[in-house]
Amino acid sequence: MGYSSWNDCASEVTEVRIKRVTKALIDTGLAAKGFVHVNIDEGWLSARDPSGALVEDLVKFPSGMKALGEWIHNQTVPGKGKIMKYGLYTCRGTCQCGTAKYSNAPGGHGHEAADSKWLADAGADYLKVDSCCGSQDHATAFSDYGKWRDGLNATGRAVAFSLCGWHTWYAAEGARLGNSWRIAGDGTNWGALSNCINSNVALQQYAHPGAWNDPDLLLGTGVGSNDLATNPNGCFKASEIPQADAWYMTSELQSRAQFSMWAVMSAPLLISADVSQVAPYTLETWRNTEVIAVSQSFRAGGPYQGARVFGSDLSFHAGANATTGSGHNVWGKLLPGADFALVFVSNEDAPTDIACTYKACFEALGVERNATYAVRDVWAHKDVGTLAAPFSFTVKQLPIHGGVAMYRFTPKS
Ligand code: GLA
């Protein structure tokens, strides 16, 4: 749990912004709730010196990456102490992804052990290794990532290792290579994120503590987006960042739908927005302790990631003038004891009722037929009744394009 700079500032990330965001994570209370990682994505590296050592961009990061790591590690979260963690980024290919301004930054290919040492020495607690300019051959990709794993392990530093290869075929090998692996392309808006959800449907079996499917970053809305076109305090011009097309949620509800889904999918929770600027509604979304609890707790013995128990693939098309979507889902996750959570999500073009019967939703989760459950609406923070045989549970008029409802079920003794 934490922050990642990519969808916030793209390669325009700077030391000043990282310090501001770190303070905002603490001041908003997000850090105390668990959002402790401050991960810098592409944009901090500029070159390799003649000896092969990495050279950071001292214009954007004047103190250097090691000093910034020390600064982050030294911040105090009230009541918790110095718990903030530091994340860095590189690429397994021969170059980095090459966003417009920094197209010359080097990749790590052939330098895995030395770069791992440099990054661990800089204080990294998390490393994302991207796949740009790298082979798409599966065996070669796995072998590349194996070199980074070995390089990081050789440093002796505990570093959460995040693979970024954009495909579901990483899932079956992910646990032996790292701690999380991207399963789809960049989740730049609710349409792309809907796709990431669809990609995760078949991957439940691969997730377990220390090894997670990664459907990409948490997005904000409106002023929390740092495109200068929509935010005068923003940090980049979308025209200069090729990937920045339609780069945000189109409604605040979508951030809440995403957070609910990421909780039930046990996904990494990395906010990629300036938390000092996002709308209060979005901040409340990410601070919801009951939803965070669903994300961070598991049924003993698994499965550790939720499953789609009703519905088919979601789609959403966000264009300049047209906005249409389709699909609605129910996802369920088993929680400690005999608790479980359900998330209802809709991308339909009209408000939609979703009816769960025992067959449709509860049987797939192995819900005990004879039990009676207390039902809690975790967004309203209210107990809303009980559920018992014959297990009929309907959510009415779920809003369009990211409408969401989320419940926790606890057996009554
Ligand atoms: C790729 C990754 C993104 C981000 C960018 C940086 O597109 O998938 O998450 O790291 O590169 O350029």
Side-chain angles (χ1 to χ4, degrees), residues 89-385:
Y89 165 99
T90 191
C91 210
R92 70 176 170 88
T94 50
C95 63
Q96 300 229 335
C97 293
T99 50
K101 289 185 175 174
Y102 300 97
S103 48
N104 296 325
H109 195 74
H111 299 267
E112 293 84 358
D115 286 2
S116 292
K117 184 169 181 323
W118 193 100
L119 293 155
D121 285 349
D125 307 298
Y126 176 103
L127 179 67
K128 171 174 169 181
V129 177
D130 214 336
S131 287
C132 292
C133 313
S135 170
Q136 286 301 308
D137 170 66
H138 299 199
T140 310
F142 299 149
S143 152
D144 284 356
Y145 276 122
K147 290 177 191 162
W148 286 99
R149 173 202 57 204
D150 296 345
L152 289 170
N153 283 340
T155 70
R157 186 173 176 84
V159 181
F161 181 29
S162 153
L163 279 55
C164 179
W166 323 299
H167 293 287
T168 52
W169 49 262
Y170 280 94
E173 300 289 326
R176 74 174 176 87
L177 297 169
N179 302 108
S180 67
W181 48 88
R182 283 273 299 280
I183 56 167
D186 291 11
T188 44
N189 52 48
W190 182 238
L193 290 164
S194 294
N195 217 25
C196 297
I197 295 170
N198 301 336
S199 298
N200 217 349
V201 169
L203 305 180
Q204 181 190 48
Q205 60 181 303
Y206 304 116
H208 58 81
W212 302 106
N213 294 300
D214 178 2
D216 212 9
L217 308 169
L218 297 169
L219 297 191
T221 321
V223 292
S225 304
N226 270 323
D227 183 345
L228 277 161
T230 55
N231 177 7
N233 301 314
C235 46
F236 67 87
K237 289 188 181 141
S239 59
E240 294 176 358
I241 309 288
Q243 294 103 315
D245 184 34
W247 211 349
Y248 317 113
M249 302 298 206
T250 48
S251 90
E252 287 183 351
L253 202 53
Q254 290 165 355
S255 291
R256 192 158 286 190
Q258 185 190 14
F259 200 54
S260 308
M261 282 304 309
W262 265 229
V264 90
M265 296 192 304
S266 308
L269 301 179
L270 293 168
I271 295 169
S272 201
D274 183 343
V275 292
S276 69
Q277 296 181 52
V278 287
Y281 178 93
T282 307
L283 211 48
E284 279 319 305
T285 297
W286 294 329
R287 283 194 298 218
N288 187 320
T289 308
E290 295 188 63
V291 178
I292 293 171
V294 168
S295 148
Q296 301 294 308
S297 60
F298 312 100
R299 179 76 59 87
Y304 299 97
Q305 166 177 310
R308 187 171 74 190
V309 292
F310 179 81
S312 49
D313 284 358
L314 300 169
S315 103
F316 182 66
H317 305 282
N321 302 312
T323 306
T324 56
S326 65
H328 55 271
N329 285 183
V330 182
W331 283 66
K333 178 180 173 183
L334 301 181
L335 297 172
D339 283 24
F340 63 95
L342 289 184
V343 171
F344 296 72
V345 62
S346 176
N347 274 359
E348 305 288 359
D349 292 336
T352 299
D353 294 354
I354 305 182
C356 268
T357 61
Y358 188 80
K359 268 265 167 244
C361 298
F362 298 102
E363 187 172 50
L365 281 171
V367 167
E368 172 56 54
R369 257 181 201 279
N370 297 321
T372 300
Y373 292 86
V375 185
R376 185 163 173 84
D377 180 331
V378 296
W379 284 117
H381 301 293
K382 274 193 187 129
D383 297 331
V384 291

